[in-house]
Amino acid sequence: MPRSDVYGQSIDLPNLLDVPDVEALSTAIEQSISRGVLRFASASARAAAVPSPVDGMYSTLADNKRLYRYNGTQWVVVVPEFRFGAFTVSGSGLDQYTANVTFSSAMSSTPYVFVNLATSSGASSRWIPRVPSASPTGFSVLVQSSVDGATANWSAVPLWYFAIAT
């Protein structure tokens, strides 16, 4: 009578008292290898199945599609989540510009967002982009001049962004 594996990965393992069956044993070994990274529906399902993880264990969660490694203390994301893109600024007589940018899909947590003015020639070189607020779905950007009272006429000046969440 096969028994289930201790991590809830749906792998049938033979018992010591089972009739010897090389095929059943090889199937269990193949299933174990294919599950080198433990798969769970959520972090709570992982915590229930692996109450005492050991350093170096890997898991993936279906609810957020992220890969984790246990570092001896906690489960940490192996590959950070990121978004990147570009948008343009246009307007006349601007002394500042604000915009909201929406990500193509929501991130799992609030990201760090970096914005770069893609040109630094002429009048645009004195303008500085900042990100006053960000959320998992997007961010707001503020572009201000580093010179008080400066205004500019812009036509499709590109700004690039990179957002990373861990």
Side-chain angles (χ1 to χ4, degrees), residues 1-98:
M1 177 89 167
R3 60 183 171 85
S4 189
D5 66 285
V6 296
Y7 296 118
Q9 299 296 296
S10 301
I11 300 171
D12 290 331
L13 301 171
N15 280 313
L16 185 60
L17 299 177
D18 287 347
V19 175
D21 185 346
V22 173
E23 187 174 339
L25 181 59
S26 66
T27 299
I29 291 170
E30 288 171 5
Q31 290 175 340
S32 298
I33 290 170
S34 74
R35 296 291 180 145
V37 174
L38 302 172
R39 301 170 193 165
F40 300 99
S42 64
S44 58
R46 178 182 61 201
V50 188
S52 301
V54 296
D55 188 7
M57 281 183 138
Y58 285 87
S59 72
T60 185
L61 304 180
D63 62 357
N64 66 10
K65 297 176 177 51
R66 308 280 302 273
L67 177 65
Y68 295 85
R69 180 184 182 280
Y70 192 74
N71 68 6
T73 306
Q74 64 183 350
W75 291 98
V76 293
V77 175
V78 173
V79 179
E81 185 178 15
F82 64 91
R83 304 283 185 279
F84 59 91
F87 59 97
T88 59
V89 174
S90 296
S92 52
L94 294 175
D95 62 354
Q96 69 179 23
Y97 176 86
T98 58

Side-chain angles (χ1 to χ4, degrees), residues 112-159:
Y112 297 99
V113 181
F114 306 91
V115 178
N116 182 47
L117 185 60
T119 181
S120 63
S121 62
S124 63
S125 64
R126 67 176 175 246
W127 289 75
I128 302 167
R130 294 184 175 93
V131 178
S133 66
S135 75
T137 58
F139 65 95
S140 63
V141 65
L142 170 65
V143 182
Q144 288 181 297
S145 174
S146 61
V147 177
D148 287 340
T151 61
N153 297 323
W154 284 5
S155 177
V157 173
L159 286 143

